Amino acid sequence: MGKTSRTVLRPGMILLKGYISLSDQVKIVERCRQLGLGPGGFYQPGYREGTKLHLRMMCLGKNWDPQTSQYGDHRPFDRAKPPNIPVEFLEITEKAIRDSHVLIGQDSKRVNPEKILPWMSPDICLVNFYTQSGHLGLHQDKDESEESLRRGLPVVSFSIGDSADFLFGDERDADKAQKVVLESGDVLIFGGKSRNIFHGITVIHPNTAPRLLREDANLQPGRLNLTLRQY
Ligand code: SIN
Ligand code: MN
């Protein structure tokens, strides 16, 4: 695992590097594999116009349908009900928001951190697996409820496995975007004023995953990303 650090990237956007311990990363990989092979497990999603996303996906809690950009209780193509979100994922999310509040409080002593980064209770977890050629174009996450978006309830993202270049900015324009490298164990949070950022994954860096994940958890070459949200 890389070095640990905690950084405010923008108001409401926090990067917790090296946040998830290797043993927890192994547990997450094993849980995702177990759930991913069962009903409602991994598949390669496609958009309405027929193009496929360059990743495999599984939804926990609620189903997100890339064809309609809507959430629902079942996924339309096989009626599978998404598995529940494992409690360990919820615990890491809660701790990451709490630690981000501490960081925001240190950054600007006069403000209430919850005004900058609101609390949320996840009822959705999207799990993406990128092979080493996987990527995801710049987009905004805006399919959650109007209230969730209006309040800026954060998206909390876990990265596990190979590192990736994550672009973010105010426009759907890669040339104007900033880049951070997300490594295994990193948690990225974007809420509050940063909830609507454009973001995407341009490159997966092959063979950068911690060896233990490959050897102990039998993680395939590539990157696992979990995003937790509140509808
Ligand atoms: C997403 O935007 O849904 C996923 C981002 C990531 O893979 O880090
Ligand atoms: Mn997204």
Side-chain angles (χ1 to χ4, degrees):
M1 195 162 74
K3 287 207 186 83
T4 64
S5 65
R6 297 175 183 192
T7 313
V8 177
L9 295 175
R10 292 178 158 216
M13 185 173 187
I14 312 288
L15 178 58
L16 304 171
K17 286 206 72 72
Y19 190 76
I20 306 175
S21 70
L22 259 178
S23 60
D24 281 348
Q25 292 179 51
V26 168
K27 285 186 205 149
I28 293 170
V29 171
E30 286 171 345
R31 275 314 254 136
C32 287
R33 175 177 306 109
Q34 179 205 12
L35 295 169
L37 293 174
F42 282 111
Y43 74 107
Q44 188 180 9
Y47 293 117
R48 198 178 351 216
E49 69 277 19
T51 50
K52 293 278 185 197
L53 279 80
H54 295 268
L55 47 80
R56 290 171 66 73
M57 182 175 80
M58 156 172 75
C59 301
L60 307 176
K62 287 186 191 298
N63 183 65
W64 176 70
D65 179 4
Q67 309 249 338
T68 59
S69 301
Q70 285 182 350
Y71 286 103
D73 292 332
H74 295 89
R75 62 184 186 191
F77 67 90
D78 64 357
R79 303 299 301 156
K81 189 174 169 348
N84 292 334
I85 307 174
V87 67
E88 312 87 86
F89 299 2
L90 302 176
E91 284 167 358
I92 296 172
T93 303
E94 190 182 321
K95 185 166 166 294
I97 297 176
R98 207 179 319 119
D99 284 336
S100 297
H101 283 161
V102 173
L103 180 69
I104 293 167
Q106 287 163 352
D107 223 45
S108 59
K109 294 227 160 26
R110 277 186 306 228
V111 299
N112 174 359
E114 286 186 42
K115 288 234 153 79
I116 309 274
L117 182 73
W119 267 110
M120 68 112 184
S121 292
D123 52 9
I124 304 160
C125 174
L126 304 187
V127 184
N128 290 333
F129 185 77
Y130 302 76
T131 60
Q132 292 181 336
S133 61
H135 52 93
L136 182 63
L138 282 172
H139 65 280
Q140 293 168 300
D141 289 358
K142 53 180 186 188
D143 296 335
E144 294 69 34
S145 71
E146 240 174 75
E147 196 199 340
S148 178
L149 296 172
R150 182 180 50 77
R151 292 172 57 203
L153 303 192
V155 174
V156 177
S157 154
F158 304 171
S159 291
I160 292 173
D162 284 334
S163 306
D165 287 356
F166 179 92
L167 296 197
F168 63 98
D170 296 316
E171 296 173 53
R172 194 192 298 273
D173 182 344
D175 294 333
K176 294 191 183 145
Q178 283 176 263
K179 181 184 94 176
V180 283
V181 178
L182 296 180
E183 297 168 284
S184 202
D186 291 355
V187 174
L188 177 72
I189 304 184
F190 50 98
K193 287 204 166 99
S194 296
R195 181 59 172 78
N196 293 328
I197 52 160
F198 284 91
H199 59 280
I201 295 290
T202 47
V203 177
I204 305 292
H205 297 283
N207 310 322
T208 48
R211 230 185 51 214
L212 192 87
L213 286 187
R214 302 288 299 275
E215 289 171 2
D216 282 22
N218 194 24
L219 179 67
Q220 298 307 299
R223 169 174 182 263
L224 196 59
N225 171 255
L226 287 72
T227 49
L228 293 105
R229 308 134 191 255
Q230 181 176 331
Y231 182 73

